[in-house]
Amino acid sequence: MALNLGKAVVDYLTAHPDEKFSARQIAEWVFATFPHECNAKKASSQALETDADLLQQLVAEIGSQRPRLQKKHPNLKTTEGRPRKYYFSEKSDSAEVAAVESVGVAAPVGKDDAKLGEHGLYPLLSNYLWAEFGVYSKRIDEKRSSNKRGPNGNRWLYPDLVGMEDLGADWHQEVKDCVNQYSDKRTKLWSFEVKLLINRSNVRECFFQSVSNSSWSNFGYLVAAEIEGQDTLKELRMLFAAHGIGLIKLDVENPSESQVLIPARERGEIDWDTANRLATENKDFLEYVKLVKQFYQTGEARPADWDVPKTED
């Protein structure tokens, strides 16, 4: 009997609602569950010499059948980023967001907590930014803001994290001194809005929240632990073309494998009027400005002052 791969995929995901699996994980299940059909498939192909060849072929076929399967089964959904995950859910997109924000996302392997809320993503993002870009980051707690403008006066004003990139980290000391004498730029300032899940139900709200609270910076990024649906990524790319906000897919299980799916477009100048408002009304942002000023005064940034990984002596 020939292997009906599409039916096998749908049956497996339907039997495990809301659980996410990579194409390789599904292929491994198919290989273990339908050994006779898989051996027949391998025997009928001159290109498939080993079980590993067959497994890779199953992975490729699952990917190629995805658009057809999703059109036929609307509740079969996928995440974006590497690796793409497949899952079956009867929840609406907005219900999925609500569920993730209530429960959290799976914690990294080895962590005591089974789930991570949004606040649990901040140190993972900080570690990635430091390792990948050498960006010093700092948490901004909007609860440390004044409320003199009323309950919605500061809505979408503050990013979750801010960062500073030392452009001259690898420069010769003489070059650093020369740049200081010329009062030239030594930094780029970054802004990050962090979300547990972005899908079609909240993509525009999340994006424009990031547009709003990063308007002062050189680089603005929207960061998500999970991004669901190809249409979501298409929408983000379209919005990027108009506003320049980038997108980072944060890999919770292995932060070093996080991906910049859309690089942010650089703004040449800092909007100091907006930065002044943020610093005036939020103690964390004021501390951030002080650290940037200190860097320009001393030429050094002390990791202990920032949310960067602590190195062991």
Side-chain angles (χ1 to χ4, degrees):
M1 183 176 178
L3 175 65
N4 187 333
L5 183 59
K7 183 178 184 303
V9 169
V10 172
D11 288 348
Y12 181 64
L13 295 176
T14 303
H16 300 81
D18 298 313
E19 293 185 52
K20 296 179 173 67
F21 302 93
S22 67
R24 177 161 292 276
Q25 289 173 316
I26 299 172
E28 289 171 348
W29 173 82
V30 170
F31 184 78
T33 306
F34 302 97
H36 299 299
E37 292 86 343
C38 287
N39 285 330
K41 182 179 178 68
K42 184 174 67 172
S44 66
S45 172
Q46 296 181 348
L48 303 177
E49 298 180 355
T50 67
D51 288 349
D53 292 338
L54 174 60
L55 195 61
Q56 189 57 43
Q57 179 65 23
L58 292 175
V59 171
E61 289 182 12
I62 291 171
S64 65
Q65 291 189 31
R66 175 183 59 81
R68 178 180 62 81
L69 291 176
Q70 287 187 292
K71 186 175 182 179
K72 186 176 180 181
H73 305 278
N75 290 331
L76 195 161
K77 303 179 181 182
T78 59
T79 65
E80 297 302 311
R82 187 179 59 243
R84 173 179 277 124
K85 298 287 184 73
Y86 296 71
Y87 68 104
F88 180 89
S89 178
E90 294 184 345
K91 294 187 180 80
S92 67
D93 290 336
S94 58
E96 284 192 61
V97 172
V100 168
E101 291 181 348
S102 174
V103 177
V105 295
V109 176
K111 295 292 185 180
D112 294 335
D113 296 332
K115 295 288 186 178
L116 285 178
E118 184 182 304
H119 285 225
L121 303 182
Y122 302 150
L124 303 181
L125 176 59
S126 292
N127 290 356
Y128 169 68
L129 295 173
W130 177 250
E132 187 70 16
F133 303 107
V135 168
Y136 296 88
S137 59
K138 195 76 174 172
R139 165 79 173 111
I140 303 297
D141 186 350
E142 64 178 12
K143 294 179 181 178
R144 300 191 70 196
S145 307
S146 67
N147 59 358
K148 62 185 180 181
R149 297 177 186 267
N152 292 317
N154 292 330
R155 186 170 183 262
W156 290 7
L157 185 61
Y158 300 102
D160 293 312
L161 265 74
V162 291
M164 182 190 77
E165 178 186 1
D166 176 6
L167 299 179
D170 299 323
W171 293 352
H172 190 284
Q173 186 59 48
E174 291 296 335
V175 175
K176 293 181 181 180
D177 293 343
C178 182
V179 170
N180 286 339
Q181 290 296 321
Y182 273 88
S183 300
D184 212 344
K185 290 182 180 178
R186 281 284 309 277
T187 65
K188 298 290 184 184
L189 303 187
W190 300 48
S191 174
F192 305 92
E193 178 64 30
V194 181
K195 299 295 180 184
L196 290 166
L197 168 64
I198 299 175
N199 63 22
R200 288 175 298 180
S201 73
N202 67 348
V203 57
R204 293 184 68 85
E205 179 179 4
C206 292
F207 185 88
F208 284 109
Q209 183 178 0
S210 187
V211 169
S212 177
N213 63 33
S214 70
S215 62
W216 56 274
S217 63
N218 295 118
F219 296 104
Y221 275 96
L222 180 58
V223 182
E226 294 184 350
I227 304 165
E228 293 177 357
Q230 207 171 23
D231 290 341
T232 301
L233 198 53
K234 287 180 180 178
E235 181 81 1
L236 287 168
R237 293 189 187 281
M238 181 189 73
L239 293 170
F240 161 79
H243 302 279
I245 297 297
L247 176 66
I248 294 175
K249 168 63 173 64
L250 183 63
D251 189 323
V252 175
E253 296 180 2
N254 189 355
S256 64
E257 295 298 316
S258 300
Q259 308 162 63
V260 177
L261 298 182
I262 305 175
R265 186 162 60 235
E266 182 179 350
R267 303 183 187 94
E269 301 294 333
I270 298 297
D271 180 352
W272 289 111
D273 283 337
T274 300
N276 178 67
R277 178 180 172 185
L278 270 63
T280 301
E281 299 188 14
N282 182 278
K283 294 179 180 179
D284 285 339
F285 199 90
L286 177 60
E287 179 63 23
Y288 169 62
V289 172
K290 289 180 178 179
L291 289 174
V292 175
K293 181 188 75 170
Q294 176 180 296
F295 173 76
Y296 272 92
Q297 290 175 335
T298 66
E300 301 293 337
R302 297 190 308 170
D305 295 330
W306 298 84
D307 299 334
V308 300
K310 304 299 185 290
T311 57
E312 297 183 1
D313 295 333

